[in-house]
């Protein structure tokens, strides 16, 4: 029971730090790929290291720096520090205490506490690089979501046209698939908040996001379809044999053509359901994080009118 509670708290802490990273990335105008890579790097490091070895917030800032560098969109360390502080304050400190935030100041003099936190982020960056083996290449599920949705949509639309469905039905199906694509892409962003984003293959993450999106839209996925890169099956009396690695054009389940097990797609769907239903982060962790390093972004409570 105690172990389960500790695991739940660790998951909530990770989600909290990822939310801080997403808000800080928006203020830094970080590219979408860099922000998503930072989330996966954060979870990948915590799969090897524990939160007892490094501060979770310092590691989050370090992973943001690494992802920005690896995507050729570097930002200054002081700017990352300021945005992380402000994002932390926006998410948890100011709303709970009824306090007013300071404006972002990228040109002011850094305090001693900020310089201490900068040094902690640099140490966390080196720890992250050692944990990752100096390999910061990240594969994201978003491209797979787009390719899989387009392929499945084309299969469904083609089947409607073959049976002679009316034009209104075909246009309605196209609108539903457009909505499903938006929901699946959004789910691909949200699933990166969870530790499973560093444990499961991006193809499995994409299949789970598509499964959830199509369920919300009421779309029935095809049970038998053909791989988009499949080749026609050779004749029985043909002398030639298919090349190694070639896919024979035989009907399969929609998840099998993407080399994803049904159980993995269902697991991702369950992870997203639990993420959307999870409560807010317990106040105890927020209080432990409230130190002079981050409280600098908060002014005194506003006086009553």
């Amino acid at each position: 029971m105690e172990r389960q509670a500790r695991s739940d708290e660790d998951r909530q802490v990770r989600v909290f730090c990822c939310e801080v990273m997403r808000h800080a990335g928006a203020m830094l105008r970080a590219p979408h790929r860099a922000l998503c890579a930072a989330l996966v790097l954060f979870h990948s490091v915590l799969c090897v290291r524990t939160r007892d070895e490094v501060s979770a917030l310092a590691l989050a800032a370090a992973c943001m720096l690494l992802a920005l560098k690896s995507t050729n969109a570097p930002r200054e360390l002081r700017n990352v520090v300021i945005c992380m502080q402000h994002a932390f304050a926006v998410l948890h400190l100011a709303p709970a205490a009824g306090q007013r935030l300071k404006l972002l100041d990228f040109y002011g003099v850094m305090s001693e506490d900020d310089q201490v936190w900068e040094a902690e982020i640099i140490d966390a960056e080196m720890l992250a690089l050692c944990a990752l083996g100096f390999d910061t290449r990240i594969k994201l599920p978003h491209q797979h979501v787009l390719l899989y949705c387009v392929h499945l949509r084309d299969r469904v639309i083609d089947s409607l046209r073959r049976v002679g469905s009316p034009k209104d039905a075909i246009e309605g199906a196209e609108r539903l698939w457009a909505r499903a694509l938006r929901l699946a892409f959004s789910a691909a962003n949200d699933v990166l908040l969870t530790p499973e984003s560093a444990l499961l293959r991006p193809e499995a993450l994409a299949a789970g996001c598509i499964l959830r999106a199509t369920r919300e839209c009421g779309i029935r996925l095809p049970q038998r379809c053909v791989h988009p890169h499949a080749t026609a099956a050779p004749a029985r009396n043909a002398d030639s044999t298919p090349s190694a690695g070639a896919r024979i054009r035989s009907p399969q389940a929609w998840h099998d053509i993407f080399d994803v097990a049904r159980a993995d797609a269902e697991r991702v769907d369950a992870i997203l359901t639990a993420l959307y239903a999870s409560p807010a982060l317990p106040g105890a962790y927020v209080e432990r994080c409230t130190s002079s390093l981050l409280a600098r972004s908060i002014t005194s409570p506003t006086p009553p009118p």
Side-chain angles (χ1 to χ4, degrees):
M1 216 36 204
E2 181 181 354
R3 182 177 181 181
Q4 180 66 26
R6 191 181 301 112
S7 176
D8 292 341
E9 181 186 1
D10 181 74
R11 176 179 290 270
Q12 289 177 334
V13 168
R14 289 195 187 195
V15 173
F16 161 67
C17 291
C18 289
E19 287 285 3
V20 174
M21 293 169 69
R22 292 212 297 191
H23 282 71
M27 287 184 283
L28 287 167
R29 295 184 179 181
H32 180 261
R33 177 173 178 80
L35 182 54
C36 293
L39 299 177
V40 180
L41 287 174
F42 176 73
H43 292 302
S44 300
V45 174
L46 287 181
C47 289
V48 181
R49 303 291 185 176
T50 63
R51 289 192 292 112
D52 297 332
E53 301 180 56
V54 60
S55 168
L57 287 172
L59 179 61
C63 290
M64 179 73 72
L65 278 173
L66 285 176
L68 289 168
K69 293 175 183 176
S70 63
T71 55
N72 295 325
R75 300 291 189 273
E76 293 185 6
L77 175 59
R78 58 173 291 136
N79 293 346
V80 174
V81 170
I82 292 171
C83 289
M84 289 289 290
Q85 289 174 348
H86 195 81
F88 178 86
V90 167
L91 284 176
H92 290 282
L93 294 184
Q99 295 174 331
R100 185 175 58 187
L101 298 178
K102 289 182 179 180
L103 295 176
L104 288 176
D105 184 11
F106 292 102
Y107 304 100
V109 179
M110 301 292 286
S111 65
E112 294 183 1
D113 291 335
D114 293 331
Q115 294 175 4
V116 171
W117 204 42
E118 282 186 353
E120 187 177 355
I121 292 174
I122 293 174
D123 293 340
E125 183 180 16
M126 182 55 64
L127 183 142
L129 284 172
C130 293
L132 296 169
F134 290 84
D135 185 6
T136 58
R137 294 172 297 178
I138 295 296
K139 294 182 179 180
L140 299 174
H142 299 79
Q143 183 178 4
H144 299 288
V145 167
L146 178 60
L147 294 177
Y148 296 175
C149 272
V150 169
H151 176 68
L152 293 173
R153 179 202 63 188
D154 292 343
R155 297 292 302 177
V156 172
I157 298 300
D158 289 343
S159 63
L160 290 176
R161 287 173 179 167
R162 282 197 303 268
V163 298
S165 299
K167 184 178 179 181
D168 294 341
I170 296 176
E171 291 178 353
E174 290 177 347
R175 287 193 296 269
L176 273 179
W177 273 104
R179 179 169 177 263
L181 176 58
R182 291 193 297 269
L183 291 176
F185 206 87
S186 177
N189 290 330
D190 293 336
V191 78
L192 298 183
L193 299 176
T194 63
E196 285 76 12
S197 62
L199 301 175
L200 297 176
R201 297 185 301 130
E203 293 85 357
L205 297 175
C209 294
I210 292 174
L211 179 63
R212 179 175 184 82
T214 51
R215 283 176 174 174
E216 291 186 10
C217 296
I219 297 175
R220 185 177 179 180
L221 291 170
Q223 296 302 317
R224 297 178 66 83
C225 49
V226 180
H227 195 280
H229 302 297
T231 58
R236 291 182 179 271
N237 56 355
D239 297 333
S240 60
T241 57
S243 59
R247 298 178 182 271
I248 303 302
R249 187 180 294 275
S250 59
Q252 295 175 306
W254 70 271
H255 52 84
D256 288 334
I257 66 174
F258 305 128
D259 296 329
V260 176
R262 176 78 182 192
D264 290 340
E266 293 285 357
R267 179 184 176 187
V268 174
D269 185 19
I271 290 169
L272 288 168
T273 301
L275 175 65
Y276 296 147
S278 61
L281 190 76
Y285 180 76
V286 177
E287 293 175 0
R288 291 200 299 270
C289 288
T290 308
S291 61
S292 59
L293 300 180
L294 294 175
R296 173 180 175 272
S297 299
I298 303 295
T299 63
S300 57
T302 55

